[in-house]
Amino acid sequence: MSFASPLLGRPGAVAASGADAGVAAHYGDPVREQRALADGSAAVDLSYRGVVTVAGPDRLTWLTTLSSQQVAGLGPGQSAELLLLSVQGRIEYDARITDDGERAWLLVEAAEAEGLAAWLDSMRFMLRVEVADVSDEWGVLGSTRRLGALAGLPGTGPVWEDPWPRIAPGGYSYAPVQEERHPGLERPWFEHLVGANQLEDAAAALDAAGITLAGSMAAEALRIAAWRPRMGFETDDKAIPHELDLLRTAVHLSKGCYKGQETVARVHNLGHPPRRLVMLQLDGSAHTLPAAGSQVLQRAEDGGEKQVGRVTSAALHYEMGPIALAVVKRSTDPAATLVVRGEAVGEEYAAAQEIIVAPDAGQVVQRPAGLLRGHP
């Protein structure tokens, strides 16, 4: 189903493609828009998002039994992140969840909404829950601060606040940096639900409050700099939560049974994830960016090379220059300077690693305290 936001009619709007199709990639000045989004004076149209609601008195306990997260006690206005996994522990859905006291709102990637709603509906059995795909009825505006009271936005619904990078109750960090030094703290993130037919009025209210519009390119650059994984970008059909540091915000390690729990527990307690997420600082002399899927290579002193992973997302950051996220083999030398090989002949980028998931992550049984941190 094609989607086109009414805000694409704004002056200077250049349409995004791929997973972000239907909104503006930018409005004529991507770097300025990114700065404004980072300092809280801009909002980004994310109305390609899928929106699924679950109503009924059993909704939160039901979602808890199905997912990796404990949301049974989620209060009105509170937010969380949950995963729905395969039996093998692979990520099938990654949902942002908030509750308004009557229904739970699940925000997902556009490609996920229809399948998620159908799967949830098939799992209702005799429980008092009602599932609906309401993606056509709602738009989403993202920002680094809450906008409703500030701008008097019309037609607004719930607001989802990203828990990243704070370690949620029952969660666990696989990052080598302490929580208070995590770069994700520089990117607080809120997603505001706005009636689809009131997006233009909402944009006008933002204008009146001195808040401009930024494109999806700006949101992506800030996300990558925050080490924040995204479904369909950092994930593939083999991805497990450990590889992306998603035990931090989306997995409760001591909750009851759910599909995929055995893999989650086994890898966390006794094994290591086979791959790990890294951020790459790219050589910017080429003035281009590698495409998602570009090879990540490790070169030996004798000139030989081997592929150790692939680029999953790339962007031009307003301060750091070209950056990317990549998923690489766990055994990749953390000190190695990597090379990203693009699709064009001769397209290569030197790439320095920033470790997001530690190479020794996992195997926490009998691990000395203090290496990786979690909350009880």
Side-chain angles (χ1 to χ4, degrees):
M1 179 178 59
S2 61
F3 163 80
S5 169
L7 302 186
L8 271 174
R10 288 233 151 182
V14 175
S17 59
D20 295 350
V23 301
H26 62 84
Y27 294 89
D29 193 343
V31 174
R32 180 195 61 78
E33 293 166 26
Q34 191 182 143
R35 289 181 182 274
L37 186 62
D39 69 22
S41 60
V44 58
D45 184 8
L46 303 175
S47 295
Y48 57 80
R49 286 266 195 264
V51 183
V52 175
T53 60
V54 182
D58 296 331
R59 65 191 182 281
L60 294 177
T61 54
W62 179 60
L63 288 170
T64 295
T65 63
L66 294 175
S67 77
S68 63
Q69 190 56 278
Q70 172 59 265
V71 295
L74 196 68
Q78 294 181 332
S79 301
E81 180 182 15
L82 61 82
L83 303 175
L84 297 170
L85 307 175
S86 71
V87 173
Q88 295 80 22
R90 294 168 180 166
I91 302 171
E92 294 189 330
Y93 297 101
D94 181 351
R96 309 157 181 86
I97 178 173
T98 187
D99 195 82
D100 64 8
E102 295 183 354
R103 59 181 52 80
W105 298 75
L106 305 177
L107 280 68
V108 295
E109 295 296 326
E112 293 183 273
E114 183 177 357
L116 174 60
W119 185 81
L120 289 174
D121 199 53
S122 73
M123 298 297 292
R124 288 188 304 125
F125 303 116
M126 300 298 291
L127 293 172
R128 297 169 297 171
V129 293
E130 296 180 6
V131 179
D133 181 352
V134 296
S135 304
D136 291 343
E137 302 171 26
W138 292 92
V140 180
L141 296 175
S143 65
T144 56
R145 59 173 169 167
R146 287 184 180 267
L147 298 175
L150 176 71
L153 294 180
T156 53
V159 179
W160 177 76
E161 180 177 357
D162 192 352
W164 186 270
R166 296 294 186 188
I167 303 171
Y172 202 95
S173 169
Y174 274 13
V177 299
Q178 299 296 308
E179 182 176 317
E180 59 271 17
R181 297 180 58 194
H182 196 288
L185 292 174
E186 299 177 13
R187 173 198 168 265
W189 192 250
F190 302 86
E191 297 190 358
H192 307 74
L193 282 152
V194 178
N197 59 357
Q198 294 182 292
L199 274 170
E200 291 179 284
D201 291 339
L206 291 175
D207 287 340
I211 299 170
T212 60
L213 285 177
S216 62
M217 290 173 60
E220 279 296 277
L222 298 188
R223 177 185 71 82
I224 293 169
W227 299 356
R228 187 36 156 144
R230 180 178 174 187
M231 186 71 180
F233 286 67
E234 281 60 59
T235 64
D236 58 18
D237 59 2
K238 296 180 180 179
I240 60 174
H242 318 64
E243 297 174 328
L244 308 177
D245 202 19
L246 282 174
L247 270 64
R248 172 184 292 274
T249 53
V251 177
H252 194 293
L253 288 167
S254 58
K255 71 177 286 290
C257 294
Y258 59 92
K259 189 169 67 170
Q261 181 188 28
E262 182 179 350
T263 297
V264 170
R266 184 173 64 251
V267 173
H268 179 63
N269 292 312
L270 303 173
H272 300 287
R275 303 178 297 179
R276 57 186 180 86
L277 184 66
V278 298
M279 192 176 91
L280 301 177
Q281 298 276 359
L282 301 173
D283 172 19
S285 60
H287 305 289
T288 58
L289 290 170
S294 295
Q295 294 180 337
V296 179
L297 307 171
Q298 182 174 331
R299 285 183 175 157
E301 293 182 2
D302 62 5
E305 62 184 29
K306 62 180 178 180
Q307 183 176 351
V308 295
R310 64 180 182 86
V311 169
T312 55
S313 304
L316 181 66
H317 191 269
Y318 72 101
E319 290 183 330
M320 292 184 283
I323 56 176
L325 293 177
V327 173
V328 301
K329 295 179 180 178
R330 183 177 68 86
S331 59
T332 303
D333 181 358
T337 296
L338 304 177
V339 174
V340 173
R341 178 167 294 157
E343 298 175 345
V345 175
E347 182 188 357
E348 289 191 347
Y349 309 81
Q353 296 180 64
E354 287 189 14
I355 308 304
I356 297 177
V357 172
D360 64 344
Q363 210 170 74
V364 301
V365 172
Q366 299 181 340
R367 174 186 287 274
L371 296 182
L372 298 172
R373 301 194 308 154
H375 286 180

